[in-house]
Amino acid sequence: MQENKIGRNDPCWCGSGKKYKKCHEAIDERIAGFALKGHMVPRRSMLKTPEQIEGIRVSGKINIAVLDEVASQIKAGMNTEEIDRIVYDTTVKMGGRPAPLGFEGFPKSVCTSINEEVCHGIPSEHIVLKDGDIINVDVSTEYKGYYSDSSRMFCIGEVSPEKKMLVEVTRECIEKGLEQVKPWNFLGDVGYAVHQHALENGYTVVQEIGGHSIGLDFHEEPFVSFVTKPGTEMLLVPGMVFTIEPMVNMGTDEIYQDDENGWTIYTDDGKPSAQWEVTVAVTGTGHEVLVY
């Protein structure tokens, strides 16, 4: 890890106003020790200050309120364009901006992925929710320069026991991953816990798509995989903020992309997929879930 040298009595690089020796010196020395052993460690620019985390937290309150509004209205017979309208209107009313809208050309304010759609489903007035569907609604918000991101699964009407189990186990995968989010663990520990719980229940986890750091931009480094081994990937350090968002498939982990819209990802075997997403910050003693 190559970082600018700071004197012990200089102001800390994090902007706390404290002297470096009273703030990040011990943490930086510990990080450097991991780097010397060959581990991947975060750059200082990847670590959020308390003020930045507060900004993400406030953005997250809008994100949660938007999902709550979707939860109060979602039902069979509704088309996914109506969900997009709810997300846009609620976000803007609260002073935010839907982060997906226009992101790398994405045409809508939210991703709505139904049944065998793994992610990046595009809302449309022609796609109507029906009894027995499961749907992931993935909401992301920008507010005063801070980004937040979370998604929820919704069961529409009478859903089969098999689909309900998939949805529930996927949520449990999130909790298993969160148990591993603490300083001096690794992102690989998080991914391994997620993957193992899915495998133990007979499911697979998508390899090509995963989570990401977030806060000052929508998608930041590092990429967060959920098919990893313990003790691998980036070291977890206080100030890191990232998403846990495994895509868990009932069948194969193989996927393909819609050639027509260039966005929507499907399971290769047509079996259902589920996803929950949270934004989490690493703290000095463990973690804080900023958005669920």
Side-chain angles (χ1 to χ4, degrees):
M1 180 178 66
Q2 297 295 324
E3 303 281 6
N4 293 330
K5 192 76 174 176
I6 300 176
R8 298 187 71 235
N9 290 310
D10 291 340
C12 188
W13 58 264
C14 73
S16 65
K18 299 178 183 178
K19 292 182 178 181
Y20 181 53
K21 66 184 179 182
K22 296 287 187 180
C23 193
H24 267 87
E25 183 182 38
I27 292 175
D28 283 353
E29 288 178 350
R30 191 166 183 181
I31 293 171
F34 278 95
L36 286 172
K37 294 177 181 178
H39 292 290
M40 188 187 311
V41 301
R43 301 185 302 275
R44 288 174 185 161
S45 60
M46 294 179 174
L47 307 181
K48 307 300 189 292
T49 67
E51 292 76 16
Q52 290 169 338
I53 289 175
E54 176 59 22
I56 300 166
R57 190 183 290 115
V58 174
S59 175
K61 289 179 180 179
I62 297 175
N63 213 78
I64 292 167
V66 170
L67 278 166
D68 287 345
E69 187 62 29
V70 171
S72 73
Q73 297 191 46
I74 197 167
K75 61 184 178 180
M78 169 185 281
N79 65 58
T80 53
E81 179 67 27
E82 292 176 79
I83 297 174
D84 187 75
R85 198 172 306 123
I86 292 168
V87 170
Y88 181 85
D89 290 347
T90 306
T91 304
V92 171
K93 182 179 179 181
M94 297 185 72
R97 178 182 66 84
L101 186 59
F103 178 73
E104 296 184 353
F106 191 77
K108 296 294 181 177
S109 297
V110 65
C111 296
T112 51
S113 306
I114 304 170
N115 297 328
E116 73 278 7
E117 294 177 343
V118 175
C119 62
H120 303 160
I122 300 177
S124 168
E125 61 183 6
H126 303 297
I127 301 173
V128 179
L129 296 179
K130 61 183 184 300
D131 192 70
D133 283 341
I134 58 172
I135 178 173
N136 177 264
V137 179
D138 189 350
V139 172
S140 310
T141 302
E142 182 271 323
Y143 178 72
K144 295 186 176 180
Y146 294 102
Y147 290 80
S148 56
D149 197 0
S150 64
S151 76
R152 298 180 194 171
M153 292 298 300
F154 296 98
C155 293
I156 307 301
E158 291 297 322
V159 173
S160 70
E162 292 80 12
K163 284 184 178 179
K164 284 183 179 178
M165 178 66 74
L166 175 66
V167 169
E168 182 58 33
V169 169
T170 304
R171 187 163 189 171
E172 291 171 0
C173 284
I174 293 283
E175 299 301 327
K176 295 292 184 181
L178 285 172
E179 290 174 4
Q180 299 302 316
V181 180
K182 47 194 168 186
W184 321 119
N185 265 13
F186 295 87
L187 281 174
D189 301 328
V190 178
Y192 180 78
V194 167
H195 196 198
Q196 285 303 114
H197 190 66
L199 291 176
E200 288 166 5
N201 284 274
Y203 303 132
T204 62
V205 177
V206 172
Q207 299 184 38
E208 295 90 336
I209 310 171
H212 52 92
S213 186
I214 188 171
L216 305 183
D217 284 304
F218 189 2
H219 284 200
E220 302 173 353
E221 294 181 340
F223 173 76
V224 182
S225 171
F226 301 108
V227 289
T228 47
K229 295 180 180 180
T232 66
E233 306 295 315
M234 188 168 283
L235 178 71
L236 296 180
V237 174
M240 290 178 68
V241 178
F242 58 92
T243 66
I244 300 178
E245 50 176 313
M247 298 160 204
V248 180
N249 295 351
M250 189 178 289
T252 179
D253 62 358
E254 295 295 319
I255 57 175
Y256 70 92
Q257 187 176 62
D258 189 309
D259 288 333
E260 291 187 13
N261 67 36
W263 280 99
T264 308
I265 304 296
Y266 298 86
T267 58
D268 197 52
D269 57 10
K271 292 184 178 180
S273 181
Q275 179 192 25
W276 294 83
E277 178 182 12
V278 300
T279 298
V280 61
V282 183
T283 69
T285 57
H287 67 265
E288 177 190 353
V289 178
L290 300 177
V291 200
Y292 206 147

